[in-house]
Amino acid sequence: MRAVDCIRKKRDGGELSDGEIGAMVRGLSTGEAADYQWAALLMAIYWNGMTDAETISLTNHMARSGIVVDLSSIPGVKIDKHSTGGVGDKTSLILAPIAAAAGILVPMVSGRGLGHTGGTLDKLESIPGFRVDLDLAAYRSTLRDQGLVMIGQTAEIAPADRILYALRDATATVESIPLITASILSKKYAEGIEGLVLDVKTGLGAFMKGLDDSRRLAESMRSIGNGLGLKVRVLITRMDQPLGRGVGNALEIAEAIACLRGEGPADLVDLSVELAAEMVLMGGVSKTVEAARERCLATIADGTAVARFRSMVKAQGGDPAAIDDPNLLPQAKFTYEVKSPRTGFVSGLNAESIGRGTMLLGAGRERVDSTINHATGVILDCKMGDRVEAGDALCTIHADSRGESFDAAVELIASAYDFAETAPEIPRLLVEKF
Amino acid sequence: MRAVDCIRKKRDGGELSDGEIGAMVRGLSTGEAADYQWAALLMAIYWNGMTDAETISLTNHMARSGIVVDLSSIPGVKIDKHSTGGVGDKTSLILAPIAAAAGILVPMVSGRGLGHTGGTLDKLESIPGFRVDLDLAAYRSTLRDQGLVMIGQTAEIAPADRILYALRDATATVESIPLITASILSKKYAEGIEGLVLDVKTGLGAFMKGLDDSRRLAESMRSIGNGLGLKVRVLITRMDQPLGRGVGNALEIAEAIACLRGEGPADLVDLSVELAAEMVLMGGVSKTVEAARERCLATIADGTAVARFRSMVKAQGGDPAAIDDPNLLPQAKFTYEVKSPRTGFVSGLNAESIGRGTMLLGAGRERVDSTINHATGVILDCKMGDRVEAGDALCTIHADSRGESFDAAVELIASAYDFAETAPEIPRLLVEKF
């Protein structure tokens, strides 16, 4: 197998064998497949796609470029959840302790935010002392002792994915369904899980804005996950406006804690419980989704969910007092209210504009090497469907400095709001699940 | 301009501006466009092509990545010839001294052979002492004093082309008409020429086997050459069977000398004179192609062409005695006759099989870093249309060693011959010119 022959085969629409794909992935570390050869192959895949068999091979070889963790010595069903990324989406922080309190083991390897979407690791790091860089031994022991663990991708987890993702980012080959599928599932498969609940976002603030694309990605993830022997359940959910009210790292941690205490906004609580219920159902803890939902809601009502979150935070070096008193989380220097320019109903609240605006406040990364300000962000006082009077506060910006970036952020965040005379119809968050 | 944005634009079928293409080519040396980004761009170009404006920009920026030689202080019209590569094609060695003897200045920067096709530099190096690595000062002075000069691509000539060609070779992006055009013309433009006569091969032994592809390449080369301010004349010629009778470096030098002495095979002499005549016509030395042809034939008849070749060889360090006595060229250790298996007419003589067979004898390069044996090759005693009896010699292999490679070469060379009961129709070598 020569790398150039694999590239030519894919360029000409052929199907690569498992042996060829394995050699290309191994070649990344041996040098037999240079990064420029992979770049050409990625562009050929962008054009010609991959069959399910090819995508399963790619995912498998990417996972096996590092350690596929064996969690079988820890009793219990291990199930994770993955979202394709949204704005204000802090469901992982809510559903993981709920599912853990309901009897599922939740080993979660998460990522950082980039562009307009946030990342679970950045949010967690706004809790003073919280460590996401546990090694695999600590990952296993925390999962065994706490029932959940939340870490970043270690050097041992799918190293080929890190190389290929950086290459895709630099070569305009990110937007390819088989490549997205392989990137996500290689990491999830390497975690040592048995099942995965996927939240595929669709809409203005999603990576895949159109429903057809979202559905194709969802179907690909399910087929490939099943091909790897994973149970997979997919929910396609709307990401037109941000989820919940807080956007920004510490603000989202505070909101997640509120949800775990039963004090969260309905959209966020409902979706988190729905995803957790699918994990509980998949794990066989409940027999029906209704029973699973009840069981999840009970963990909020009886305080076991928030307790589980607190003990996980403590086990990972974080200050558990911050869970009881969110004022201990990083606080921005000042707040600024964006006023409504008119009277009427909020008919639109563009999630991408809110995401980009908070990025300008320092809450997100413009580039991979940007640093994050954990305190900044926005609280959405009004969301779609809310009635407002001219001059009412639409949202409250939490910022650390004034200047050009702040002004641009305010403008972008204000522009996210659209208005109408009459109350708009708000589509259901859950589009479909399968 | 970010490299990834240029890749995305081309990926999505957009047209890159001159500024974008210039930045990408300069980025090759500054590092702002990494080789893996170029690899992805090359694959996107392979798919989406380039407009003439884009190809002109690319060619120009590739030429200007090094020195574009200014030959204006040397009086006379400077015209070169380029062939897309064939088997047994030693026309450059014949037409350059003819055109020079007829009053054209011929500055020739040539390449080495790869795969089944030979290279002018390798052939020249079979002349004892001949140096192809002249610097640009020697290139200019030799051209001025001898009327012709034949060198290899120096570090100053289109360095971006060397990088991009190596990338294309490793990423299955060689077969792209705009990329082929830019690669050839960037080097030719950098030579400092005013006009170029192109021999685009078509047929079994050509890089472009189909006439439509050959025609598209020819049209692209003419448009882009004209766009750069060069006069361009294109001849599309058949490369089904090898040109002339000798294939292999020293064997081809000997045959070229025979042609310059008026003792060469008709196909080779006719094509060499036709190409030289186009150069003479383009340079304004003759007013009609008929007159130009006469003038070229006269340089053979009066000995000025071979004298010009001898003095160029001497000026470039070669042994001029080898021009008068081809026995001074490298000689293979033994010869081996391939006999005809049957009586009839030679109806086919596959140039690619002959080229691959001689490569196995050491006369060509399987890889860029293979070494060449200048003595080995084959003399085609019979060509298409010849009548043979069973047991007649079809060709004579010149080899240095027996063994597996030799056996494979004999088999491949013998398999190149097809036979028929009746005399086949032999298509004219020149398909069209424009």
Side-chain angles (χ1 to χ4, degrees):
Chain A
M1 197 287 311
R2 293 192 317 153
V4 64
D5 297 324
C6 289
I7 303 168
R8 183 175 297 108
K9 191 172 182 183
K10 179 46 67 184
R11 181 197 78 183
D12 294 342
E15 181 175 22
L16 299 177
S17 69
D18 182 66
E20 287 167 330
I21 292 171
M24 285 299 294
V25 174
R26 283 189 302 276
L28 270 175
S29 49
T30 63
E32 281 173 66
D35 53 2
Y36 51 81
Q37 292 180 307
W38 258 102
L41 181 62
L42 291 169
M43 186 59 84
I45 292 171
Y46 178 91
W47 271 95
N48 281 327
M50 286 187 125
T51 62
D52 275 6
E54 284 177 303
T55 313
I56 290 168
S57 283
L58 179 59
T59 309
N60 188 38
H61 289 294
M62 282 166 68
R64 289 177 195 287
S65 68
I67 291 174
V68 175
V69 181
D70 180 0
L71 296 176
S72 59
S73 64
I74 303 175
V77 188
K78 295 97 194 172
I79 297 174
D80 192 9
K81 168 260 177 185
H82 180 82
S83 154
T84 60
V87 180
D89 182 2
K90 68 286 285 177
T91 53
S92 289
L93 301 164
I94 305 163
L95 63 85
I98 291 176
I104 302 294
L105 292 179
V106 187
M108 212 173 239
V109 178
S110 299
R112 299 197 174 274
L114 186 62
H116 73 284
T117 61
T120 298
L121 298 184
D122 300 319
K123 295 171 194 176
L124 285 166
E125 284 178 343
S126 63
I127 301 170
F130 195 94
R131 296 278 302 271
V132 299
D133 58 346
L134 306 190
D135 63 20
L136 288 182
Y139 166 78
R140 298 168 64 94
S141 61
T142 308
L143 178 67
R144 186 189 58 223
D145 300 341
Q146 306 299 326
L148 76 166
V149 61
M150 295 184 169
I151 66 165
Q153 192 176 354
T154 72
E156 300 102 324
I157 298 284
D161 172 66
R162 270 200 310 283
I163 303 172
L164 291 180
Y165 192 84
L167 264 181
R168 286 166 60 206
D169 190 49
T171 58
T173 49
V174 170
E175 305 95 328
S176 155
I177 284 179
L179 295 177
I180 296 168
T181 302
S183 175
I184 293 171
L185 290 184
S186 62
K187 284 174 289 198
K188 293 291 159 187
Y189 183 64
E191 287 175 355
I193 54 174
E194 289 142 74
L196 182 65
V197 173
L198 277 165
D199 181 5
V200 175
K201 305 290 191 187
T202 191
L204 294 178
F207 181 66
M208 293 283 180
K209 305 203 188 303
L211 182 56
D212 283 350
D213 282 344
S214 305
R215 206 173 265 146
R216 280 193 294 128
L217 176 58
E219 280 163 1
S220 167
M221 300 257 259
R222 195 180 59 167
S223 301
I224 306 312
N226 289 342
L228 289 162
L230 297 179
K231 292 181 191 170
V232 178
R233 180 86 171 151
V234 185
L235 284 72
I236 298 181
T237 68
R238 296 218 64 87
M239 177 43 65
D240 294 317
Q241 64 176 349
L243 204 50
R245 297 198 175 271
V247 182
N249 301 286
L251 297 173
E252 296 194 41
I253 290 287
E255 190 173 32
I257 295 166
C259 289
L260 288 170
R261 292 191 182 289
E263 298 154 7
D267 62 339
L268 180 58
V269 172
D270 288 354
L271 180 56
S272 302
V273 168
E274 192 68 21
L275 291 163
E278 292 292 346
M279 295 167 75
V280 166
L281 183 66
M282 184 181 276
V285 172
S286 302
K287 298 293 170 214
T288 66
V289 72
E290 293 76 15
R293 239 180 249 133
E294 287 309 310
R295 181 159 183 124
C296 290
L297 287 168
T299 69
I300 298 178
D302 66 11
T304 51
V306 73
R308 196 60 81 117
F309 189 59
R310 189 191 297 105
S311 72
M312 183 270 289
V313 164
K314 190 175 171 198
Q316 294 196 217
D319 181 2
I323 308 310
D324 302 310
D325 179 6
N327 289 320
L328 298 176
L329 295 170
Q331 305 288 322
K333 295 212 177 94
F334 67 94
T335 60
Y336 173 94
E337 283 189 353
V338 177
K339 310 285 194 187
S340 179
R342 51 171 288 192
T343 295
F345 289 89
V346 176
S347 59
L349 174 47
N350 186 309
E352 182 161 357
S353 302
I354 297 291
R356 297 214 172 275
T358 52
M359 186 180 78
L360 292 176
L361 297 170
R365 280 185 190 79
E366 185 148 14
R367 298 152 44 108
V368 177
D369 54 357
S370 313
T371 50
I372 287 274
N373 182 329
H374 291 100
T376 58
V378 62
I379 296 290
L380 304 167
D381 304 301
C382 292
K383 293 190 64 182
M384 282 170 73
D386 287 346
R387 176 163 171 81
V388 290
E389 301 283 331
D392 280 359
L394 290 174
C395 60
T396 308
I397 291 173
H398 291 236
D400 265 359
S401 59
R402 292 185 184 273
E404 271 183 40
S405 270
F406 174 76
D407 294 343
V410 171
E411 192 171 335
L412 202 50
I413 289 167
S415 76
Y417 281 88
D418 278 327
F419 303 92
E421 291 297 319
T422 53
E425 193 148 341
I426 314 289
R428 281 193 62 208
L429 212 51
L430 177 62
V431 181
E432 60 195 41
K433 54 180 177 178
F434 53 85
Chain B
M1 195 291 305
R2 293 192 317 152
V4 65
D5 297 325
C6 290
I7 302 169
R8 185 175 294 108
K9 192 173 182 181
K10 179 45 70 185
R11 180 197 79 182
D12 294 342
E15 181 175 23
L16 298 177
S17 69
D18 183 64
E20 287 168 329
I21 292 170
M24 285 299 294
V25 174
R26 284 189 302 277
L28 269 176
S29 48
T30 64
E32 281 174 65
D35 53 3
Y36 51 81
Q37 293 181 306
W38 258 103
L41 182 63
L42 291 169
M43 186 59 82
I45 291 170
Y46 178 91
W47 271 94
N48 282 326
M50 286 187 123
T51 63
D52 275 6
E54 285 177 301
T55 313
I56 290 168
S57 282
L58 178 59
T59 310
N60 189 37
H61 289 294
M62 282 166 68
R64 290 177 196 287
S65 68
I67 291 173
V68 175
V69 182
D70 181 0
L71 296 176
S72 60
S73 65
I74 304 175
V77 188
K78 295 100 195 170
I79 297 174
D80 191 9
K81 167 261 179 185
H82 180 80
S83 154
T84 58
V87 179
D89 181 2
K90 65 286 284 178
T91 53
S92 288
L93 301 164
I94 305 164
L95 64 85
I98 291 175
I104 301 294
L105 292 178
V106 187
M108 212 172 241
V109 178
S110 300
R112 299 197 175 272
L114 185 62
H116 73 282
T117 62
T120 299
L121 297 184
D122 299 319
K123 296 171 193 176
L124 284 166
E125 284 179 344
S126 62
I127 301 170
F130 196 94
R131 297 278 303 270
V132 298
D133 59 346
L134 306 190
D135 63 21
L136 287 182
Y139 167 78
R140 299 167 64 95
S141 62
T142 307
L143 178 68
R144 186 189 59 226
D145 299 342
Q146 307 298 328
L148 75 164
V149 60
M150 295 183 172
I151 66 165
Q153 192 176 354
T154 72
E156 300 102 322
I157 298 284
D161 172 65
R162 268 201 310 282
I163 301 172
L164 291 180
Y165 192 83
L167 265 182
R168 286 167 60 210
D169 189 48
T171 58
T173 50
V174 169
E175 306 94 327
S176 155
I177 283 178
L179 295 177
I180 296 168
T181 303
S183 176
I184 293 172
L185 289 183
S186 61
K187 284 174 288 198
K188 293 291 158 188
Y189 183 64
E191 287 175 355
I193 55 174
E194 288 143 74
L196 182 64
V197 174
L198 277 167
D199 181 6
V200 174
K201 304 290 191 189
T202 193
L204 294 179
F207 181 63
M208 293 282 179
K209 305 203 189 302
L211 183 56
D212 284 349
D213 282 345
S214 304
R215 205 175 264 144
R216 281 192 294 130
L217 176 59
E219 281 163 1
S220 167
M221 300 258 258
R222 195 178 61 167
S223 301
I224 305 311
N226 289 342
L228 289 162
L230 298 179
K231 292 181 191 170
V232 178
R233 181 85 169 150
V234 185
L235 283 72
I236 297 181
T237 69
R238 298 218 62 87
M239 177 42 67
D240 294 316
Q241 64 176 347
L243 205 50
R245 297 199 175 269
V247 182
N249 300 285
L251 297 173
E252 296 194 42
I253 289 288
E255 189 173 33
I257 295 166
C259 289
L260 289 170
R261 294 194 182 287
E263 298 153 8
D267 63 339
L268 179 58
V269 172
D270 287 355
L271 180 57
S272 302
V273 166
E274 192 67 22
L275 290 162
E278 292 293 344
M279 295 167 76
V280 165
L281 183 67
M282 184 182 276
V285 172
S286 301
K287 296 296 171 212
T288 64
V289 72
E290 292 76 15
R293 239 179 249 133
E294 287 309 309
R295 181 156 184 127
C296 290
L297 287 168
T299 68
I300 297 177
D302 66 11
T304 51
V306 72
R308 196 59 80 117
F309 189 60
R310 190 189 296 104
S311 74
M312 184 269 289
V313 165
K314 190 174 174 198
Q316 294 197 213
D319 180 4
I323 309 310
D324 302 311
D325 179 5
N327 290 320
L328 297 176
L329 295 170
Q331 306 287 323
K333 295 213 177 96
F334 67 93
T335 59
Y336 173 94
E337 282 188 353
V338 176
K339 310 284 193 189
S340 179
R342 50 172 286 189
T343 295
F345 289 90
V346 175
S347 59
L349 174 48
N350 188 308
E352 183 162 356
S353 302
I354 297 291
R356 297 214 172 272
T358 52
M359 186 181 79
L360 291 177
L361 297 170
R365 279 184 191 80
E366 185 148 14
R367 298 153 44 110
V368 177
D369 54 358
S370 312
T371 52
I372 286 274
N373 183 329
H374 291 100
T376 57
V378 62
I379 296 290
L380 305 167
D381 303 302
C382 292
K383 293 190 66 182
M384 282 169 73
D386 287 347
R387 179 167 168 78
V388 291
E389 302 283 333
D392 280 359
L394 291 173
C395 60
T396 309
I397 291 174
H398 291 235
D400 265 0
S401 59
R402 293 187 184 269
E404 272 183 37
S405 270
F406 175 76
D407 294 341
V410 170
E411 192 172 336
L412 203 49
I413 288 167
S415 77
Y417 281 88
D418 279 326
F419 302 91
E421 291 296 318
T422 54
E425 193 148 340
I426 314 287
R428 281 194 61 209
L429 213 51
L430 177 62
V431 180
E432 58 195 43
K433 55 181 177 178
F434 54 86

